[in-house]
Amino acid sequence: DRMEPYTTVEGGFKGLNNALFVPSKMMLHQEDSSLLLMNPADPTSILKMDLEVGKVVEEWGVKGDYTSVTNILPSAKYAQMTNEATFIGLNDNSLFRLDPRLSGKDKQVEAETKSYVVKNKFSCGATTGKGELAVGSAKGDIRLFNKLDKRAKTLLPGFGDAIIGIDVTETGKGIVATCKSYLLLINTEIEGTDSLGFAKSLQKKPVPVRLTLKPEHVAYMGQPINFTPARFSTGQSEERSIITSTGPFVVSWNFRRVKQGHVFDYQLKRYSETIVADNFRFGQDRAMIVALPQHVTMMTKKSLSQPSPKLFRSSDVVEKY
């Protein structure tokens, strides 16, 4: 239950040309043996770092000088834990599969590419256990796909605010989309059937459940809400919790209670620094990993507490790992 370093990248990230860069996106790949990196200075390529040696060993591209990649995501919910070679890329108006096994530098699979003439401003995406795809946009809407080369089966309108993060349950029945000051929880089930909005169009658009903090708690925090991308708990069992953070506060909702209508049933933990990112440890919702500017720490569900004046005044000492 202690986190130990697996790989240390000495001297910063370097491309094949030894030029230093700060990745804009990182994603574990192929049984966590490698790390895919995106260099903001070159949006047409993806770098593969071998985690056993801590160095970039390959550079992959996409077809055509006009095509860029703004985000990458796994082919299925837990594909990173398998030897699955392919993954998904997206940009403002396109979705495509990338296959590193293709010859040459360009790895885009033409048969599994969907481009729109209108720029939809795609910003983020997530996949189900079957590989179905939910894509959020800077316009605030969400599209549900069952295949990459087809149009979206369902278009879900938002509230006009940019979607900065999205996650789905393994079954695809639930979506949590993150906006700056609130989360949207969406049920994709088609009433009276066994189908979801990924396979068939949701003619009757579901009303999203809006999750945010109570105004008095925001006032106690003394700063505007700025949520990090929210995540469901992960593993083989049904998702039980949702985690996000704002400023120095970790926020966790009980997923089952939220579905019963208890939208303010959340717990908090405060740190002494602004939280960079957070997620659940795989296979359990009682352990969460929190990244801070200089440290990474693991917290347990027991350390979360109900909002109180004392919580908003105090801060925890962060243990280094």
PDB file of all heavy atoms in Angstrom, residues 286-308:
ATOM      1  N   ARG A 286     -11.948   2.887  -2.199  1.00  0.00           N
ATOM      2  CA  ARG A 286     -11.525   3.347  -0.876  1.00  0.00           C
ATOM      3  C   ARG A 286     -10.114   3.918  -0.867  1.00  0.00           C
ATOM      4  O   ARG A 286      -9.650   4.420   0.150  1.00  0.00           O
ATOM      5  CB  ARG A 286     -11.629   2.204   0.144  1.00  0.00           C
ATOM      6  CG  ARG A 286     -13.058   1.714   0.319  1.00  0.00           C
ATOM      7  CD  ARG A 286     -13.176   0.670   1.406  1.00  0.00           C
ATOM      8  NE  ARG A 286     -14.579   0.296   1.605  1.00  0.00           N
ATOM      9  CZ  ARG A 286     -15.434   0.955   2.368  1.00  0.00           C
ATOM     10  NH1 ARG A 286     -15.021   2.041   3.006  1.00  0.00           N
ATOM     11  NH2 ARG A 286     -16.680   0.554   2.499  1.00  0.00           N
ATOM     12  N   ALA A 287      -9.411   3.823  -1.997  1.00  0.00           N
ATOM     13  CA  ALA A 287      -8.063   4.383  -2.106  1.00  0.00           C
ATOM     14  C   ALA A 287      -7.998   5.286  -3.325  1.00  0.00           C
ATOM     15  O   ALA A 287      -8.407   4.900  -4.417  1.00  0.00           O
ATOM     16  CB  ALA A 287      -7.029   3.268  -2.212  1.00  0.00           C
ATOM     17  N   MET A 288      -7.504   6.497  -3.128  1.00  0.00           N
ATOM     18  CA  MET A 288      -7.439   7.480  -4.195  1.00  0.00           C
ATOM     19  C   MET A 288      -6.034   8.055  -4.293  1.00  0.00           C
ATOM     20  O   MET A 288      -5.365   8.266  -3.280  1.00  0.00           O
ATOM     21  CB  MET A 288      -8.444   8.608  -3.919  1.00  0.00           C
ATOM     22  CG  MET A 288      -9.902   8.173  -4.075  1.00  0.00           C
ATOM     23  SD  MET A 288     -11.035   9.048  -2.968  1.00  0.00           S
ATOM     24  CE  MET A 288     -10.973   7.967  -1.518  1.00  0.00           C
ATOM     25  N   ILE A 289      -5.589   8.294  -5.510  1.00  0.00           N
ATOM     26  CA  ILE A 289      -4.267   8.865  -5.759  1.00  0.00           C
ATOM     27  C   ILE A 289      -4.440  10.352  -6.058  1.00  0.00           C
ATOM     28  O   ILE A 289      -5.262  10.741  -6.873  1.00  0.00           O
ATOM     29  CB  ILE A 289      -3.584   8.184  -6.961  1.00  0.00           C
ATOM     30  CG1 ILE A 289      -3.636   6.657  -6.816  1.00  0.00           C
ATOM     31  CG2 ILE A 289      -2.149   8.671  -7.113  1.00  0.00           C
ATOM     32  CD1 ILE A 289      -2.957   6.131  -5.588  1.00  0.00           C
ATOM     33  N   VAL A 290      -3.661  11.168  -5.379  1.00  0.00           N
ATOM     34  CA  VAL A 290      -3.757  12.619  -5.534  1.00  0.00           C
ATOM     35  C   VAL A 290      -2.386  13.160  -5.929  1.00  0.00           C
ATOM     36  O   VAL A 290      -1.383  12.887  -5.260  1.00  0.00           O
ATOM     37  CB  VAL A 290      -4.234  13.288  -4.227  1.00  0.00           C
ATOM     38  CG1 VAL A 290      -4.307  14.808  -4.395  1.00  0.00           C
ATOM     39  CG2 VAL A 290      -5.592  12.742  -3.814  1.00  0.00           C
ATOM     40  N   ALA A 291      -2.356  13.916  -7.032  1.00  0.00           N
ATOM     41  CA  ALA A 291      -1.115  14.546  -7.480  1.00  0.00           C
ATOM     42  C   ALA A 291      -1.140  16.022  -7.098  1.00  0.00           C
ATOM     43  O   ALA A 291      -2.104  16.732  -7.394  1.00  0.00           O
ATOM     44  CB  ALA A 291      -0.963  14.401  -8.995  1.00  0.00           C
ATOM     45  N   LEU A 292      -0.080  16.464  -6.425  1.00  0.00           N
ATOM     46  CA  LEU A 292       0.106  17.854  -6.032  1.00  0.00           C
ATOM     47  C   LEU A 292       1.312  18.420  -6.789  1.00  0.00           C
ATOM     48  O   LEU A 292       2.021  17.670  -7.460  1.00  0.00           O
ATOM     49  CB  LEU A 292       0.304  17.929  -4.516  1.00  0.00           C
ATOM     50  CG  LEU A 292      -0.909  17.422  -3.729  1.00  0.00           C
ATOM     51  CD1 LEU A 292      -0.478  16.765  -2.433  1.00  0.00           C
ATOM     52  CD2 LEU A 292      -1.893  18.540  -3.463  1.00  0.00           C
ATOM     53  N   PRO A 293       1.545  19.716  -6.738  1.00  0.00           N
ATOM     54  CA  PRO A 293       2.636  20.285  -7.546  1.00  0.00           C
ATOM     55  C   PRO A 293       3.994  19.618  -7.346  1.00  0.00           C
ATOM     56  O   PRO A 293       4.755  19.467  -8.301  1.00  0.00           O
ATOM     57  CB  PRO A 293       2.661  21.750  -7.082  1.00  0.00           C
ATOM     58  CG  PRO A 293       1.253  22.041  -6.708  1.00  0.00           C
ATOM     59  CD  PRO A 293       0.748  20.768  -6.075  1.00  0.00           C
ATOM     60  N   GLN A 294       4.298  19.187  -6.110  1.00  0.00           N
ATOM     61  CA  GLN A 294       5.606  18.595  -5.856  1.00  0.00           C
ATOM     62  C   GLN A 294       5.541  17.164  -5.332  1.00  0.00           C
ATOM     63  O   GLN A 294       6.581  16.551  -5.113  1.00  0.00           O
ATOM     64  CB  GLN A 294       6.369  19.454  -4.833  1.00  0.00           C
ATOM     65  CG  GLN A 294       6.520  20.914  -5.222  1.00  0.00           C
ATOM     66  CD  GLN A 294       7.301  21.118  -6.500  1.00  0.00           C
ATOM     67  OE1 GLN A 294       8.167  20.302  -6.846  1.00  0.00           O
ATOM     68  NE2 GLN A 294       7.016  22.195  -7.223  1.00  0.00           N
ATOM     69  N   HIS A 295       4.352  16.646  -5.092  1.00  0.00           N
ATOM     70  CA  HIS A 295       4.227  15.339  -4.452  1.00  0.00           C
ATOM     71  C   HIS A 295       3.102  14.524  -5.079  1.00  0.00           C
ATOM     72  O   HIS A 295       2.201  15.060  -5.710  1.00  0.00           O
ATOM     73  CB  HIS A 295       3.930  15.488  -2.949  1.00  0.00           C
ATOM     74  CG  HIS A 295       4.732  16.538  -2.264  1.00  0.00           C
ATOM     75  ND1 HIS A 295       6.077  16.427  -2.056  1.00  0.00           N
ATOM     76  CD2 HIS A 295       4.364  17.734  -1.734  1.00  0.00           C
ATOM     77  CE1 HIS A 295       6.528  17.500  -1.430  1.00  0.00           C
ATOM     78  NE2 HIS A 295       5.500  18.306  -1.229  1.00  0.00           N
ATOM     79  N   VAL A 296       3.168  13.218  -4.861  1.00  0.00           N
ATOM     80  CA  VAL A 296       2.067  12.314  -5.165  1.00  0.00           C
ATOM     81  C   VAL A 296       1.752  11.549  -3.890  1.00  0.00           C
ATOM     82  O   VAL A 296       2.667  11.050  -3.227  1.00  0.00           O
ATOM     83  CB  VAL A 296       2.422  11.328  -6.301  1.00  0.00           C
ATOM     84  CG1 VAL A 296       1.279  10.345  -6.518  1.00  0.00           C
ATOM     85  CG2 VAL A 296       2.716  12.075  -7.589  1.00  0.00           C
ATOM     86  N   THR A 297       0.489  11.475  -3.518  1.00  0.00           N
ATOM     87  CA  THR A 297       0.126  10.816  -2.276  1.00  0.00           C
ATOM     88  C   THR A 297      -1.109   9.952  -2.491  1.00  0.00           C
ATOM     89  O   THR A 297      -1.867  10.158  -3.431  1.00  0.00           O
ATOM     90  CB  THR A 297      -0.147  11.870  -1.164  1.00  0.00           C
ATOM     91  OG1 THR A 297      -0.396  11.203   0.071  1.00  0.00           O
ATOM     92  CG2 THR A 297      -1.346  12.728  -1.513  1.00  0.00           C
ATOM     93  N   MET A 298      -1.271   8.957  -1.624  1.00  0.00           N
ATOM     94  CA  MET A 298      -2.464   8.117  -1.669  1.00  0.00           C
ATOM     95  C   MET A 298      -3.301   8.391  -0.424  1.00  0.00           C
ATOM     96  O   MET A 298      -2.773   8.387   0.687  1.00  0.00           O
ATOM     97  CB  MET A 298      -2.097   6.635  -1.738  1.00  0.00           C
ATOM     98  CG  MET A 298      -3.322   5.725  -1.903  1.00  0.00           C
ATOM     99  SD  MET A 298      -2.881   4.052  -2.450  1.00  0.00           S
ATOM    100  CE  MET A 298      -1.889   3.496  -1.070  1.00  0.00           C
ATOM    101  N   MET A 299      -4.578   8.649  -0.606  1.00  0.00           N
ATOM    102  CA  MET A 299      -5.481   8.895   0.501  1.00  0.00           C
ATOM    103  C   MET A 299      -6.542   7.806   0.541  1.00  0.00           C
ATOM    104  O   MET A 299      -6.807   7.146  -0.460  1.00  0.00           O
ATOM    105  CB  MET A 299      -6.152  10.267   0.372  1.00  0.00           C
ATOM    106  CG  MET A 299      -6.946  10.456  -0.909  1.00  0.00           C
ATOM    107  SD  MET A 299      -7.923  11.981  -0.932  1.00  0.00           S
ATOM    108  CE  MET A 299      -9.356  11.452   0.005  1.00  0.00           C
ATOM    109  N   THR A 300      -7.120   7.595   1.694  1.00  0.00           N
ATOM    110  CA  THR A 300      -8.167   6.591   1.836  1.00  0.00           C
ATOM    111  C   THR A 300      -9.517   7.267   2.013  1.00  0.00           C
ATOM    112  O   THR A 300      -9.614   8.455   2.342  1.00  0.00           O
ATOM    113  CB  THR A 300      -7.898   5.692   3.050  1.00  0.00           C
ATOM    114  OG1 THR A 300      -7.969   6.486   4.249  1.00  0.00           O
ATOM    115  CG2 THR A 300      -6.534   5.034   2.942  1.00  0.00           C
ATOM    116  N   LYS A 301     -10.560   6.489   1.795  1.00  0.00           N
ATOM    117  CA  LYS A 301     -11.914   7.007   1.935  1.00  0.00           C
ATOM    118  C   LYS A 301     -12.178   7.482   3.358  1.00  0.00           C
ATOM    119  O   LYS A 301     -12.970   8.407   3.574  1.00  0.00           O
ATOM    120  CB  LYS A 301     -12.913   5.909   1.537  1.00  0.00           C
ATOM    121  CG  LYS A 301     -14.292   6.399   1.185  1.00  0.00           C
ATOM    122  CD  LYS A 301     -15.124   5.273   0.594  1.00  0.00           C
ATOM    123  CE  LYS A 301     -16.480   5.774   0.116  1.00  0.00           C
ATOM    124  NZ  LYS A 301     -17.274   4.695  -0.520  1.00  0.00           N
ATOM    125  N   LYS A 302     -11.507   6.867   4.339  1.00  0.00           N
ATOM    126  CA  LYS A 302     -11.707   7.241   5.735  1.00  0.00           C
ATOM    127  C   LYS A 302     -11.255   8.670   6.019  1.00  0.00           C
ATOM    128  O   LYS A 302     -11.711   9.291   6.984  1.00  0.00           O
ATOM    129  CB  LYS A 302     -10.945   6.272   6.648  1.00  0.00           C
ATOM    130  CG  LYS A 302     -11.529   4.868   6.692  1.00  0.00           C
ATOM    131  CD  LYS A 302     -10.734   3.991   7.642  1.00  0.00           C
ATOM    132  CE  LYS A 302     -11.310   2.575   7.705  1.00  0.00           C
ATOM    133  NZ  LYS A 302     -10.522   1.715   8.629  1.00  0.00           N
ATOM    134  N   SER A 303     -10.333   9.180   5.187  1.00  0.00           N
ATOM    135  CA  SER A 303      -9.826  10.530   5.432  1.00  0.00           C
ATOM    136  C   SER A 303     -10.760  11.608   4.906  1.00  0.00           C
ATOM    137  O   SER A 303     -10.559  12.795   5.175  1.00  0.00           O
ATOM    138  CB  SER A 303      -8.433  10.694   4.810  1.00  0.00           C
ATOM    139  OG  SER A 303      -8.502  10.562   3.402  1.00  0.00           O
ATOM    140  N   LEU A 304     -11.776  11.210   4.128  1.00  0.00           N
ATOM    141  CA  LEU A 304     -12.790  12.159   3.666  1.00  0.00           C
ATOM    142  C   LEU A 304     -13.739  12.465   4.818  1.00  0.00           C
ATOM    143  O   LEU A 304     -13.984  11.619   5.677  1.00  0.00           O
ATOM    144  CB  LEU A 304     -13.572  11.576   2.490  1.00  0.00           C
ATOM    145  CG  LEU A 304     -12.820  11.406   1.167  1.00  0.00           C
ATOM    146  CD1 LEU A 304     -13.586  10.463   0.251  1.00  0.00           C
ATOM    147  CD2 LEU A 304     -12.608  12.750   0.482  1.00  0.00           C
ATOM    148  N   SER A 305     -14.294  13.651   4.825  1.00  0.00           N
ATOM    149  CA  SER A 305     -15.220  14.012   5.892  1.00  0.00           C
ATOM    150  C   SER A 305     -16.315  14.925   5.362  1.00  0.00           C
ATOM    151  O   SER A 305     -16.203  15.494   4.268  1.00  0.00           O
ATOM    152  CB  SER A 305     -14.473  14.707   7.036  1.00  0.00           C
ATOM    153  OG  SER A 305     -13.849  15.894   6.570  1.00  0.00           O
ATOM    154  N   GLN A 306     -17.379  15.036   6.116  1.00  0.00           N
ATOM    155  CA  GLN A 306     -18.461  15.932   5.752  1.00  0.00           C
ATOM    156  C   GLN A 306     -17.969  17.382   5.851  1.00  0.00           C
ATOM    157  O   GLN A 306     -17.123  17.711   6.679  1.00  0.00           O
ATOM    158  CB  GLN A 306     -19.659  15.730   6.696  1.00  0.00           C
ATOM    159  CG  GLN A 306     -20.275  14.344   6.633  1.00  0.00           C
ATOM    160  CD  GLN A 306     -20.871  14.034   5.280  1.00  0.00           C
ATOM    161  OE1 GLN A 306     -21.376  14.915   4.586  1.00  0.00           O
ATOM    162  NE2 GLN A 306     -20.817  12.770   4.883  1.00  0.00           N
ATOM    163  N   PRO A 307     -18.481  18.268   4.984  1.00  0.00           N
ATOM    164  CA  PRO A 307     -18.072  19.676   5.045  1.00  0.00           C
ATOM    165  C   PRO A 307     -18.359  20.275   6.420  1.00  0.00           C
ATOM    166  O   PRO A 307     -19.419  20.031   6.999  1.00  0.00           O
ATOM    167  CB  PRO A 307     -18.931  20.334   3.958  1.00  0.00           C
ATOM    168  CG  PRO A 307     -19.293  19.220   3.029  1.00  0.00           C
ATOM    169  CD  PRO A 307     -19.425  18.003   3.880  1.00  0.00           C
ATOM    170  N   SER A 308     -17.393  21.035   6.951  1.00  0.00           N
ATOM    171  CA  SER A 308     -17.561  21.670   8.254  1.00  0.00           C
ATOM    172  C   SER A 308     -16.672  22.909   8.303  1.00  0.00           C
ATOM    173  O   SER A 308     -15.674  23.000   7.572  1.00  0.00           O
ATOM    174  CB  SER A 308     -17.171  20.709   9.378  1.00  0.00           C
ATOM    175  OG  SER A 308     -15.782  20.437   9.326  1.00  0.00           O
TER     176      SER A 308
END
